[in-house]
Amino acid sequence: MALLESMGLEAAPLAKRLAGARVLVVGDVMLDRYWFGDATRISPEAPVPVARIEKMEERAGGAANVARNIASLGGQATLLSVVGDDEAAGALERLMADAGVATSLKRDASIATTIKLRVVARQQQLIRLDFEDTPSREILADKLDEFSALLPAHDAVILSDYGKGGLAHVAAMVTLARAAGKPVLVDPKGDDYARYAGATLLTPNRSEFRQVAGRWADEAELSAKAEALRSKLALDALLVTRSEEGMTLFTDAGALNQATLAREVYDVSGAGDTVIATLGLSLAASLPLAQAMTLANAAAGIVVAKLGTAVCRQDELFAL
């Protein structure tokens, strides 16, 4: 409760505001599969460990994990994406239903649903196997029509780009959402951010921002590069997540830095999903951006202490 008190917020009224906030999440989804076991010997066939699998888990990843975080924080999430017409798509739909997320998953029989299979032994990841395809243009065009239809019923839009091809029409989505007066938050990918021009907020991590803006020698140079990108893309704000250095928000008011609140870092996978989910839900609930950033920073600190693609629950956040 100390966190909320420091922000001038109370738990009950905030929970009510979050419960009424509706966020449309669009992007690349995947099914994260975890095979847990033990590895006590080396294979006689090759110099690799032999994992004896004892337990298997399935979790929703990518944009699906963003939506799952929104629901876990007490908000309303709708997930729009493209999947294959296969068993993994059915698994994703069940996971989303169990999480309380509304879904519009477009089935494309020509592709396989993206799967990331991780083999974990003694708390260490031995290998990750990826299975993925690019959706067809026809399915993506259909998704854009659905996006337009869903917009009026939502308070904010999150575009979660994992570079799997599901956001081929991202520029049109940004334009449509801004024209409808909705804040648009983008978790970017790649080295071409031009397609995100006009968005409300971009949330690259440190390495992603460096890929686009180049290296910086000090905070002043970082700020200059951030402002140059913000001006070029006509962004309201840019949030750079900086791992152990916390996160920095760049707006017209200048740069605002917050130190990391992580007490223990166990697994950083999915932390970016939690950050943008918390930001999007907070803005949908009409919280100021600075407060949204504080909540996102705290939620990320909770998630990195968990294994794999995890979520931050509202009770965990409010208990800080």
Side-chain angles (χ1 to χ4, degrees):
M1 298 296 287
L3 173 68
L4 296 187
E5 290 176 3
S6 70
M7 299 169 63
L9 298 172
E10 296 181 3
L14 178 57
K16 185 176 181 179
R17 290 174 70 174
L18 296 180
R22 304 159 299 174
V23 183
L24 175 59
V25 181
V26 189
D28 301 307
V29 298
M30 56 202 69
L31 182 64
D32 286 321
R33 284 187 161 140
Y34 294 86
W35 290 2
F36 297 98
D38 200 1
T40 58
R41 63 191 180 93
I42 300 298
S43 170
E45 303 166 356
V48 295
V50 176
R52 183 175 183 274
I53 304 303
E54 299 167 348
K55 183 178 67 171
M56 293 179 285
E57 288 185 11
E58 291 183 333
R59 302 179 190 177
N65 191 45
V66 175
R68 199 165 64 110
N69 269 277
I70 291 168
S72 184
L73 288 166
Q76 301 177 48
T78 301
L79 176 65
L80 174 61
S81 190
V82 178
V83 293
D85 190 10
D86 51 22
E87 172 270 336
L92 269 175
E93 288 181 327
R94 290 192 299 273
L95 288 169
M96 290 293 93
D98 291 345
V101 174
T103 58
S104 179
L105 298 181
K106 302 297 181 182
R107 299 267 185 150
D108 185 348
S110 68
I111 67 169
T113 301
T114 298
I115 297 174
K116 293 180 183 286
L117 172 60
R118 298 170 176 88
V119 179
V120 181
R122 298 192 178 188
Q123 309 303 315
Q124 295 292 323
Q125 190 176 139
L126 297 182
I127 191 171
R128 192 182 90 180
L129 307 175
D130 289 5
F131 308 85
E132 59 190 52
D133 292 308
T134 301
S136 67
R137 300 293 297 186
E138 293 78 10
I139 291 290
L140 292 174
D142 183 43
K143 189 173 77 166
L144 184 59
D145 292 338
E146 181 76 4
F147 177 82
S148 299
L150 289 170
L151 259 182
H154 295 85
D155 304 302
V157 175
I158 292 177
L159 303 175
S160 182
D161 194 347
Y162 271 77
K164 308 301 181 186
L167 283 177
H169 301 300
V170 64
M173 290 180 175
V174 171
T175 300
L176 287 168
R178 292 310 298 265
K182 314 292 184 181
V184 185
L185 297 83
V186 182
D187 190 355
K189 186 67 67 178
D191 58 5
D192 178 16
Y193 283 11
R195 60 187 182 275
Y196 309 129
T200 305
L201 172 68
L202 257 61
T203 63
N205 62 34
R206 182 171 53 192
S207 62
E208 289 168 341
F209 182 68
R210 186 183 296 121
Q211 184 180 4
V212 171
R215 295 184 176 275
W216 55 90
D218 51 32
E219 292 297 311
E221 189 175 1
L222 169 61
S223 293
K225 288 180 177 292
E227 285 306 315
L229 182 64
R230 203 167 69 83
S231 175
K232 178 182 178 181
L233 300 182
L235 305 173
D236 290 4
L238 175 70
L239 180 77
V240 181
T241 56
R242 304 172 62 185
S243 190
E244 73 280 356
E245 296 177 352
M247 55 180 64
T248 307
L249 178 68
F250 300 93
T251 66
D252 286 339
L256 174 62
N257 189 71
Q258 290 190 1
T260 181
L261 297 179
R263 290 163 292 184
E264 178 185 9
V265 179
Y266 186 75
D267 189 342
V268 297
S269 61
D273 298 337
T274 300
V275 168
I276 199 167
T278 310
L279 287 168
L281 178 59
S282 299
L283 294 185
S286 299
L287 289 176
L289 187 52
Q291 287 189 337
M293 174 189 179
T294 299
L295 291 176
N297 191 29
I302 291 170
V303 162
V304 295
K306 302 179 180 182
L307 174 65
T309 45
V311 298
C312 175
R313 302 191 314 271
Q314 185 183 99
D315 63 303
E316 291 176 313
L317 184 61
F318 286 9
L320 292 178

